[in-house]
Amino acid sequence: MSIPTGLPPSVLAEIPAGSPPDGQLSNFVDPPSIGPAFVTVGAIVTAIMMVFVMIRFYAKTFIVKKLSPDDWTCLIATIAALIVYGFEVVGVTQGVFGRHQWDVSLLDLTKPEFYIPTYVTNWMSSIAVAFAKSTFFLLYLQIFAPFKGIRWAIYIGLGFTIIWYTVFTIAQLYLLTPENGEGFIKQFAEQRQLDTLKISIPITAGSVFIDFYAFVIPIIGVSKLQLSRKRKFGVLLIFLTGFIACIASTISLIFKIILQNKSNDSIYYGLDVLIAVYVEICLGVACTCMPSTAKVLRQHLPALDFIKSALSKPFASLGSTRASGEKHRGGLLGSYSRKRNFARTESSDGINTKESMAVPHPPWQQSYDGSHNVELRRFEGMHTHVVAASGKPAGKRRPSETGGIHLRHDVQQTWQNTPL
């Protein structure tokens, strides 16, 4: 597409940017547009993304009380997504995004409401996608780090994502940024604009590969966890939401292939691509927030037993401290493992209930003559450890540590010896 120079704006306003099909005329007054559809779809997925992001940061701030690297990449992806949506809305409402090319005048292409959103949304969307996908890998690293093979798979996926999007984002900036004295108007008419469309296909093909790669990792990881079937199902249910990102990136690739074959009407079909990419970004960010959503459900909706047991409870255990052998002290007796064998009895007078535990070898007593019960009183606190036993020699493992991840709960309560 070439924009002639030296013509007054009144003449440019009468020249269509593309040739209409046979039997159709250019319509510069009230042309059909898919722009309103983009604004509506974008508003919906933006609302979904923001709800889950707010839940995520609520959980990390008030429940976990600690932020992790995946929270920061999620935040950057969210900000980049909002920037993309803002510029695209400007391109639709103030510019000509979503119209057929023959319904757009050459004068429209010279306005900043068109070429600035076109410039920003191309490379900014790549940044948003890159940080959204990196969030998945950083999240997996916190959960599956004890497994050496999976840990290396996560490193490879994260490294590939960073390198892939860094290279292509630099290429996009090079092709889209006007050269000295060129200006955006002339640059848009150059071959480099078509080259930008061409590299968008390998970018998205790589995105599809990364999504499916990231989708498989937790499935393998969950299979190695020492959890009941019910809890494994709950964890998998959370990770299976990542398949939504796989679908979105695949649809985005299809639209970009269509766009390349419709380059003579890129303003219209290009908006289809922008819709698909933006949906991919928003739903991808929302999917990374599912573990935090599970924590919030467990914290504030205990009455929903199914959700608590099948969705939230597994991640509440996995999200706890991963330190092995770490000691916590509290109350009068410090800490001990709940894996210790004991006999538990309960008695009630109709008002109060008392729970007693007969412990064979209490940690605070070197020799035990069997003449006392241990009566537990005030609850002080509990710490959960995730212990990786796979690295220990077989002869040094406990009977329950056959490999994989094991959970140990340390409970602190006050106690009192009572005669048998």
Side-chain angles (χ1 to χ4, degrees):
M1 177 194 316
S2 62
I3 302 176
T5 59
L7 295 179
S10 59
V11 176
L12 292 176
E14 299 298 327
I15 303 176
S19 300
D22 294 337
Q24 292 190 30
L25 298 175
S26 297
N27 182 358
F28 298 151
V29 180
D30 55 350
S33 173
I34 60 172
F38 166 78
V39 174
T40 302
V41 173
I44 293 172
V45 294
T46 299
I48 293 172
M49 177 185 69
M50 292 306 300
V51 167
F52 281 103
V53 169
M54 287 188 290
I55 291 174
R56 178 194 191 100
F57 280 93
Y58 170 82
K60 290 302 186 75
T61 303
F62 297 102
I63 299 177
V64 181
K65 297 182 179 180
K66 181 181 179 181
L67 296 178
S68 51
D70 58 308
D71 296 314
W72 297 112
T73 55
C74 177
L75 180 62
I76 295 173
T78 303
I79 294 173
L82 294 176
I83 293 174
V84 169
Y85 183 61
F87 276 98
E88 288 176 350
V89 169
V90 171
V92 168
T93 58
Q94 305 298 320
V96 293
F97 280 20
R99 299 183 190 179
H100 286 291
Q101 206 131 320
W102 54 84
D103 292 331
V104 176
S105 69
L106 292 181
L107 181 64
D108 292 324
L109 301 183
T110 65
K111 296 179 180 179
E113 294 86 354
F114 171 74
Y115 60 76
I116 291 181
T118 300
Y119 174 76
V120 173
T121 56
N122 270 278
W123 57 268
M124 184 61 72
S125 60
S126 296
I127 292 177
V129 172
F131 277 95
K133 296 185 189 308
S134 297
T135 303
F136 277 107
F137 291 111
L138 292 174
L139 171 64
Y140 297 160
L141 196 59
Q142 297 179 60
I143 300 169
F144 302 114
F147 300 110
K148 183 177 180 181
I150 297 179
R151 184 171 68 249
W152 277 106
I154 294 170
Y155 286 144
I156 292 171
L158 180 60
F160 179 81
T161 300
I162 294 173
I163 294 173
W164 186 262
Y165 281 98
T166 298
V167 170
F168 278 106
T169 301
I170 293 173
Q172 286 177 310
L173 285 169
Y174 170 75
L175 294 172
L176 290 167
T177 303
E179 296 178 351
N180 294 333
E182 184 180 45
F184 281 101
I185 298 174
K186 183 179 178 182
Q187 186 275 337
F188 186 78
E190 295 290 333
Q191 178 64 33
R192 289 191 296 145
Q193 179 68 25
L194 297 177
D195 292 338
T196 304
L197 297 178
K198 291 179 181 179
I199 69 169
S200 66
I201 292 180
I203 292 176
T204 310
S207 177
V208 173
F209 169 77
I210 292 170
D211 282 337
F212 279 96
Y213 182 87
F215 177 71
V216 172
I217 286 177
I219 296 177
I220 299 174
V222 170
S223 67
K224 296 179 178 292
L225 297 179
Q226 302 298 317
L227 298 174
S228 65
R229 285 186 179 181
K230 191 174 183 180
R231 291 191 176 186
K232 282 187 178 181
F233 173 76
V235 177
L236 279 175
L237 189 64
I238 294 173
F239 286 126
L240 286 177
T241 58
F243 191 66
I244 298 174
C246 299
I247 296 174
S249 60
T250 302
I251 294 175
S252 177
L253 177 60
I254 293 172
F255 277 122
K256 287 187 177 181
I257 294 174
I258 295 174
L259 174 61
Q260 189 174 29
N261 296 327
K262 298 284 186 179
S263 58
N264 59 340
D265 196 9
S266 60
I267 299 176
Y268 179 86
Y269 288 99
L271 192 60
D272 286 337
V273 172
L274 293 178
I275 293 174
V277 171
Y278 189 67
V279 170
E280 175 188 355
I281 296 170
C282 291
L283 295 185
V285 171
C287 289
T288 65
C289 300
M290 291 301 169
S292 297
T293 302
K295 288 182 181 292
V296 172
L297 289 176
R298 183 174 182 270
Q299 183 81 6
H300 297 291
L301 299 177
L304 300 179
D305 293 333
F306 174 77
I307 296 178
K308 181 178 69 173
S309 60
L311 184 65
S312 304
K313 197 170 182 180
F315 246 95
S317 299
L318 292 175
S320 304
T321 308
R322 290 188 288 106
S324 174
E326 181 180 352
K327 295 183 180 180
H328 299 274
R329 297 181 179 179
L332 297 176
L333 71 122
S335 306
Y336 66 95
S337 172
R338 286 294 299 270
K339 290 183 179 179
R340 189 180 301 277
N341 296 323
F342 60 86
R344 183 169 58 190
T345 60
E346 292 185 3
S347 62
S348 175
D349 59 3
I351 299 177
N352 301 311
T353 299
K354 180 175 69 175
E355 183 183 39
S356 299
M357 296 167 56
V359 184
H361 299 287
W364 58 89
Q365 188 173 331
Q366 295 297 325
S367 61
Y368 182 66
D369 56 10
S371 62
H372 290 78
N373 275 344
V374 179
E375 179 180 326
L376 299 180
R377 289 183 170 180
R378 187 176 69 254
F379 181 80
E380 297 288 345
M382 182 176 72
H383 299 276
T384 302
H385 307 272
V386 181
V387 182
S390 58
K392 298 180 182 179
K396 295 185 179 181
R397 297 178 188 170
R398 296 181 182 180
S400 62
E401 295 181 346
T402 56
I405 292 179
H406 301 268
L407 302 179
R408 188 182 83 242
H409 301 282
D410 293 345
V411 180
Q412 296 85 41
Q413 291 176 290
T414 57
W415 59 277
Q416 178 180 354
N417 287 342
T418 57
L420 287 174

